[in-house]
C-alpha cells in the first residue's frame, strides 16, 4: 500500500518507460503505414476515433470498478479481522474464570497466541509465499497437526474450537460468553472464506484481453486519422492518447489481486504485525515486536 498520495516523475517513468517506448514505436509504424500505403486507399475521419474512445472508456471503467471492488472488499475483510482479533483476545483474557489448577487461564492465553498463528497462516496462504512464521505461535505437536492439512488456517481454527469446548467443560466460560467467543470463531471462518474467494476467483480474462486489444487498435486509428492533418505530430499525439488509456487500465490491473506483494496491494504484513502487537500487549508480553517498516519509505507490504 502506498504511503504517499503523489508520485514523482521518476517513479512514473520507472513504471511506464517500457510501455512508452513500445507505443512510440507502434505509433511510428502506424504513421508510416498511413503515409506510404493507407492514404492512397482510404481516409479515416476523426469522428471514428471519438466513437471508439467512448466505447473504450466504458470497457476500462468496468475493469477498474471491478478491480477496486475486489481491493476494497479485501481491505474491509482485514479491517474486520483486526477488530475481531482484539475482541477475541479481550474476551479470553478478561472474562475467562480461572479454575483451581489454573488450567483455564493457561488455555485462554494459549488460544490468544494461537490466534496469531491463524493470522500469519492466513497471510501466508493468501500470498503463497511459504512463510512459516506462524509456527512460532504453535506447539510442536500443533505444528505437526496443521502441517498435514491442505488448509492450515482452517486447521488452526479447529484447534481453537477444541480448546473452547475444553473451557466450557471446565466451566471457565458461561453460556453467554461461550456463544460470543464461538461467534468470533465463526467470523474468522467467514473472513477466511471471503479472502479465499477473492484469491481464487480469476477476473474474466476476456475482459482484460479485449480491453488491451481495443486500446492498441484505438491508438492505431488515432494515429491514422491525425497523420493526415498534423503530419509527424500524429506520432506524439498517438502516444499521448495511448498513454492515458494504457495507464488508466494498468491502475486497475495493479489492484486486481489485492493480496499480491506489490506497492498497490494490501499491506498484509503490516496489518498482521499490528494485530500481533495489540494482542501481545494485551497479554502483557514484553518486548513487543516492531511495526513493519515501509519499503524505501514509499509503501508497506
Amino acid at each position: 500500500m502506498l504511503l504517499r498520495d503523489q508520485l514523482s516523475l521518476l517513479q512514473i517513468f520507472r513504471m511506464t518507460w517500457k510501455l512508452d517506448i513500445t507505443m512510440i514505436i507502434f505509433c511510428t509504424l502506424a504513421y508510416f503505414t498511413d503515409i506510404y500505403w493507407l492514404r492512397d486507399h482510404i481516409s479515416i475521419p476523426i469522428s471514428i476515433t471519438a466513437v471508439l474512445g467512448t466505447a473504450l472508456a466504458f470497457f476500462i471503467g468496468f475493469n477498474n470498478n471491478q478491480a477496486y471492488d475486489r481491493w476494497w472488499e479485501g481491505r474491509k475483510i482485514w479491517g474486520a479481522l483486526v477488530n475481531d482479533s482484539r475482541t477475541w483476545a479481550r474476551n479470553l483474557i478478561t472474562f475467562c474464570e480461572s479454575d483451581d489448577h489454573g488450567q483455564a487461564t493457561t488455555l485462554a492465553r494459549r488460544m490468544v497466541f494461537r490466534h496469531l498463528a491463524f493470522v500469519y497462516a492466513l497471510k501466508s496462504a493468501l500470498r503463497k509465499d511459504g512463510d512459516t512464521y506462524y509456527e512460532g505461535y504453535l506447539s510442536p505437536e500443533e505444528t505437526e497437526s496443521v502441517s498435514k492439512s491442505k488448509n492450515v488456517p482452517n486447521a488452526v481454527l479447529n484447534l481453537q474450537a477444541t480448546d473452547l469446548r475444553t473451557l466450557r467443560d471446565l466451566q471457565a466460560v458461561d453460556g453467554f460468553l461461550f456463544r460470543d467467543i464461538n461467534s468470533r470463531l465463526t467470523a474468522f471462518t467467514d473472513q477466511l472464506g471471503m479472502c479465499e474467494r477473492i484469491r481464487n476467483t480469476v477476473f474474466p480474462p476476456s475482459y482484460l484481453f479485449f480491453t488491451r486489444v481495443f486500446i492498441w487498435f484505438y491508438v492505431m486509428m488515432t494515429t491514422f486519422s491525425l497523420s493526415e492533418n498534423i503530419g509527424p505530430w500524429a506520432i506524439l499525439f498517438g502516444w499521448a492518447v495511448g498513454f492515458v488509456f494504457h495507464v488508466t487500465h494498468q491502475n486497475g490491473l495493479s489492484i486486481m489481486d489485492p493480496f499480491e506483494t506489490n506497492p498497490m496491494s494490501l499491506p498484509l504484513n503490516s496489518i498482521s504485525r499490528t494485530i500481533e502487537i495489540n494482542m501481545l500487549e494485551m497479554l502483557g508480553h514484553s518486548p513487543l515486536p516492531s511495526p513493519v517498516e515501509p519499503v524505501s519509505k514509499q509503501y508497506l507490504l
Side-chain angles (χ1 to χ4, degrees):
M1 181 182 70
L2 291 175
L3 298 177
R4 296 186 299 176
D5 58 358
Q6 294 180 346
L7 296 175
S8 65
L9 292 177
L10 181 60
Q11 288 176 306
I12 295 174
F13 176 77
R14 286 176 177 174
M15 290 188 296
T16 64
W17 69 272
K18 293 181 180 180
L19 177 62
D20 291 336
I21 293 176
T22 303
M23 278 196 298
I24 289 174
I25 294 174
F26 183 79
C27 291
T28 301
L29 293 174
Y31 171 74
F32 284 110
T33 299
D34 182 71
I35 291 296
Y36 292 108
W37 178 72
L38 189 63
R39 184 173 298 181
D40 296 333
H41 299 83
I42 190 174
S43 177
I44 300 176
I46 194 68
S47 58
I48 295 296
T49 59
V51 174
L52 290 176
T54 302
L56 184 57
F58 280 108
F59 262 88
I60 296 176
F62 173 80
N63 289 341
N64 287 7
N65 285 338
Q66 297 304 310
Y68 184 78
D69 284 345
R70 289 164 62 95
W71 185 91
W72 184 238
E73 183 182 3
R75 185 61 188 91
K76 289 192 294 183
I77 293 170
W78 275 80
L81 179 59
V82 173
N83 297 336
D84 287 335
S85 297
R86 292 166 178 163
T87 303
W88 169 267
R90 185 179 301 112
N91 286 347
L92 288 170
I93 295 172
T94 307
F95 301 126
C96 284
E97 299 180 3
S98 59
D99 60 318
D100 295 337
H101 303 286
Q103 182 181 357
T105 302
T106 301
L107 198 58
R109 290 178 61 88
R110 186 172 70 185
M111 292 173 69
V112 175
F113 280 115
R114 190 187 290 129
H115 180 70
L116 294 175
F118 166 76
V119 172
Y120 277 101
L122 175 59
K123 189 270 298 184
S124 178
L126 293 176
R127 288 191 164 172
K128 299 181 179 180
D129 55 7
D131 185 12
T132 58
Y133 182 80
Y134 67 89
E135 294 180 356
Y137 288 109
L138 298 174
S139 67
E141 295 78 12
E142 291 172 339
T143 300
E144 182 180 0
S145 175
V146 301
S147 64
K148 298 176 182 178
S149 174
K150 295 182 179 179
N151 192 319
V152 174
N154 189 60
V156 174
L157 292 180
N158 290 337
L159 294 176
Q160 298 283 57
T162 300
D163 279 358
L164 178 57
R165 182 180 61 187
T166 302
L167 285 177
R168 185 193 60 183
D169 295 341
L170 292 172
Q171 298 183 347
V173 296
D174 58 25
F176 292 103
L177 183 58
F178 174 84
R179 184 173 62 180
D180 186 73
I181 296 177
N182 187 62
S183 70
R184 300 299 162 185
L185 272 180
T186 303
F188 297 144
T189 304
D190 292 341
Q191 290 153 6
L192 168 62
M194 288 186 287
C195 287
E196 290 174 337
R197 182 187 67 214
I198 297 174
R199 184 68 178 85
N200 298 330
T201 302
V202 178
F203 193 82
S206 57
Y207 284 103
L208 302 180
F209 173 77
F210 284 112
T211 300
R212 291 192 185 99
V213 171
F214 292 161
I215 291 175
W216 286 110
F217 181 73
Y218 178 67
V219 171
M220 181 181 66
M221 295 298 291
T222 300
T223 306
F224 284 161
S225 61
L226 291 178
S227 64
E228 300 179 9
N229 300 314
I230 60 176
W233 285 99
I235 298 174
L236 179 62
F237 280 92
W239 164 81
V241 170
F243 179 83
V244 171
F245 279 94
H246 271 296
V247 171
T248 303
H249 188 225
Q250 283 188 344
N251 285 338
L253 296 180
S254 65
I255 59 174
M256 190 75 69
D257 295 315
F259 304 129
E260 295 290 337
T261 52
N262 64 64
M264 303 296 184
S265 299
L266 296 177
L268 299 190
N269 290 351
S270 178
I271 297 175
S272 300
R273 181 58 57 83
T274 297
I275 296 174
E276 183 179 17
I277 293 173
N278 291 163
M279 297 183 69
L280 291 180
E281 187 176 26
M282 296 171 72
L283 287 167
H285 190 277
S286 182
L288 297 175
S290 301
V292 173
E293 294 294 328
V295 178
S296 303
K297 298 181 180 180
Q298 296 178 358
Y299 59 92
L300 289 169
L301 289 177

